[in-house]
Amino acid sequence: MKRLISIFFFLSMSVLVSAQTLFKVDERFELTGIAARLAGYQEYTMCKISGYAEAADEYFAPYKEHGFIHFLQQIRQSDGIAYDALPKATHTLQIVDNKVITNPAADIAALCKADPRWTEDNYRKFAELSDRFYKDTDFHAFFESNSEYYRKGEDWVNGFCDIDTSWFNSFYGKSFGSPELYLSLVNGPANYALADRGILPGYGILAGLTVDPDKEIMFGKDYIFMSTVVHELCHNFTNSLCEEYRSRLVKAADRIFNEDDVRAAMIRSAYGDPWIMTVEWLNNLCEAMYFREKGLLYPEDYGFARRPQATSNDYEVMWLAQEKGFFWMTTSIEYMDKFYENRDKYKTIEDFMPEIVEFYNRLSRNIDKERERFAARYPEVVEFSIDSTDKDTLMLSFRFSHPMSTWMHGVDLNPDPEVNPLFTYPEQWKYTDEYTLTARIDRDLLEKGKRYGGALNADFIRTLKSYQMKEDYPFEFVYE
């Protein structure tokens, strides 16, 4: 295991505040989510609150053989009911007088058209068995007895999750409306959009609670949740844009998806279809524009001071590119300069869609060049030098290929055990400019003729846009 000798990471705290809408835990989604958990749906077994998960497992253990559980297992195998299919159908349900019924305003034919995994027959049985499970398990008693978990989750989310609702009108040219914001404990990190597809009036999102409010919450979790909320809200507007231009996007989608590395990454991410990939890409791009306009994405590029949430968002874009397979994401964001430089011409993103279509088609025909551009975004040490002019210290200098995140760095032991370590303090390391990391080493700690060195830790050596070194950089020198 590596021993970290020196790591420095500093972020000042600030929060963007805007118009707020409130999240609430809804009994319907906990009902079907817990049933899916019992049925072995992996995506519904990721609850982050151990006490709640244990309470659910203990309470519902006698009902693992219930007809609703067997039915969910069956339609997962036969119809592919999984992930977002469940909340889409659950959204059409109501709980009235201790009964689970279909909302009279819901158009089930529209549900089946929007999501062909559902048929009117399997939906009807889903609704009937939901009601039976609700009554047989006395689900409401469980829901009431765990209300403290729900309250704490709601308090944590609603304490920071402020959305600038006016942005949606200025960017999409459509009213934000009054979305239904639901919080699910059983979902864990899984989140689903409840888009306006003619099934029910309005739209909403089902966001999974990603933390246990009773435990220490890791720095940045609130920022991640915020980006998730914006992403899911954008879906209600982005999806219809994609459909409008579908015929002009599908060929490019097929070309990109059928690249071996893209296909593998998308399948791992449950985007196993060229069109799903395309919708997610465009929605990720729109989400990024929300944060760009707030100065919370690549802030230095657009004249803003850096705030902590910007670092989180920059990292998310890098993660989408590196881990999710959207390696053209940063290029897409940079392309949006054209949109912002010509807002007199492009009043909304819909006005700019022909340009986006052309960008996507051009990308698909030049995918190898984009892959090369992506590879070139990772930083490298282009020069390592030592300044020995000072009689008391040596100055180590590392020159990088890109502007760097100057608020972080990390140094480990050199992998060669024969190289003596440099025991330094964080304050001895600093960036003298955005390209150059330096370390001042006291000569008194060195013996002549011995080898000294370390290794720059790739995890903490990142560009301004959060792309990290692909591997640690070992360095050494002989002290003369």
Side-chain angles (χ1 to χ4, degrees), residues 21-31 33 44 47-49 52 87 90 143 146-161 179-192 194 204-213 221 225-226 228-229:
T21 48
L22 298 180
F23 279 85
K24 63 180 180 180
V25 177
D26 187 283
E27 189 174 10
R28 296 169 299 166
F29 294 108
E30 294 305 295
L31 168 70
Y44 289 91
C47 177
K48 296 298 183 181
I49 303 177
Y52 182 69
T90 303
F143 190 77
N146 287 280
S147 60
E148 187 65 9
Y149 286 118
Y150 306 142
R151 183 192 64 77
K152 289 179 179 178
E154 291 167 347
D155 286 350
W156 180 72
V157 169
N158 292 325
F160 67 83
C161 194
E180 301 167 15
L181 304 182
Y182 300 112
L183 184 67
S184 172
L185 273 59
V186 71
N187 278 24
N191 310 280
Y192 304 106
L194 303 170
I205 63 173
L206 177 65
L209 186 62
T210 57
V211 303
D212 184 341
K221 283 288 188 180
F225 190 91
M226 270 287 291
T228 297
V229 171

Side-chain angles (χ1 to χ4, degrees), residues 276-296:
I276 295 174
M277 174 196 72
T278 299
V279 173
E280 284 301 318
W281 160 69
L282 186 57
N283 199 64
N284 285 327
L285 181 59
C286 292
E287 174 203 339
M289 294 307 99
Y290 175 94
F291 291 109
R292 169 179 168 160
E293 291 190 31
K294 307 301 173 191
L296 295 172

Side-chain angles (χ1 to χ4, degrees), residues 121-171:
D121 286 341
N122 69 14
Y123 171 82
R124 188 178 305 109
K125 193 168 184 181
F126 169 79
E128 291 171 357
L129 287 171
S130 294
D131 177 52
R132 190 181 306 169
F133 184 75
Y134 184 79
K135 293 172 180 173
D136 290 348
T137 63
D138 193 6
F139 187 88
H140 188 67
F142 170 83
F143 190 77
E144 287 290 308
S145 67
N146 287 280
S147 60
E148 187 65 9
Y149 286 118
Y150 306 142
R151 183 192 64 77
K152 289 179 179 178
E154 291 167 347
D155 286 350
W156 180 72
V157 169
N158 292 325
F160 67 83
C161 194
D162 299 338
I163 306 298
D164 180 2
T165 59
S166 65
W167 177 84
F168 292 83
N169 181 264
S170 67
F171 185 76

Side-chain angles (χ1 to χ4, degrees), residues 29-93:
F29 294 108
E30 294 305 295
L31 168 70
T32 59
I34 287 174
R37 178 184 176 89
L38 294 174
Y41 283 37
Q42 180 273 335
E43 64 273 24
Y44 289 91
T45 61
M46 300 185 290
C47 177
K48 296 298 183 181
I49 303 177
S50 57
Y52 182 69
E54 290 165 5
D57 289 343
E58 180 180 354
Y59 185 92
F60 294 101
Y63 304 99
K64 284 187 175 180
E65 301 302 319
H66 192 278
F68 188 38
I69 308 307
H70 287 302
F71 175 70
L72 289 176
Q73 292 167 339
Q74 172 201 321
I75 59 175
R76 186 178 180 90
Q77 291 297 319
S78 62
D79 303 309
I81 298 297
Y83 294 97
D84 60 329
L86 202 62
K88 285 178 184 175
T90 303
H91 192 217
T92 68
L93 301 177

Side-chain angles (χ1 to χ4, degrees), residues 246-304:
R246 184 170 188 146
S247 63
R248 297 169 61 182
L249 289 165
V250 289
K251 288 183 179 179
D254 287 341
R255 283 193 292 265
I256 296 170
F257 185 85
N258 286 314
E259 293 287 317
D260 290 343
D261 55 341
V262 175
R263 175 189 287 272
M266 295 301 157
I267 290 174
R268 284 197 306 270
S269 303
Y271 304 146
D273 173 278
W275 187 244
I276 295 174
M277 174 196 72
T278 299
V279 173
E280 284 301 318
W281 160 69
L282 186 57
N283 199 64
N284 285 327
L285 181 59
C286 292
E287 174 203 339
M289 294 307 99
Y290 175 94
F291 291 109
R292 169 179 168 160
E293 291 190 31
K294 307 301 173 191
L296 295 172
L297 180 72
Y298 302 164
E300 294 84 359
D301 287 358
Y302 309 117
F304 293 95

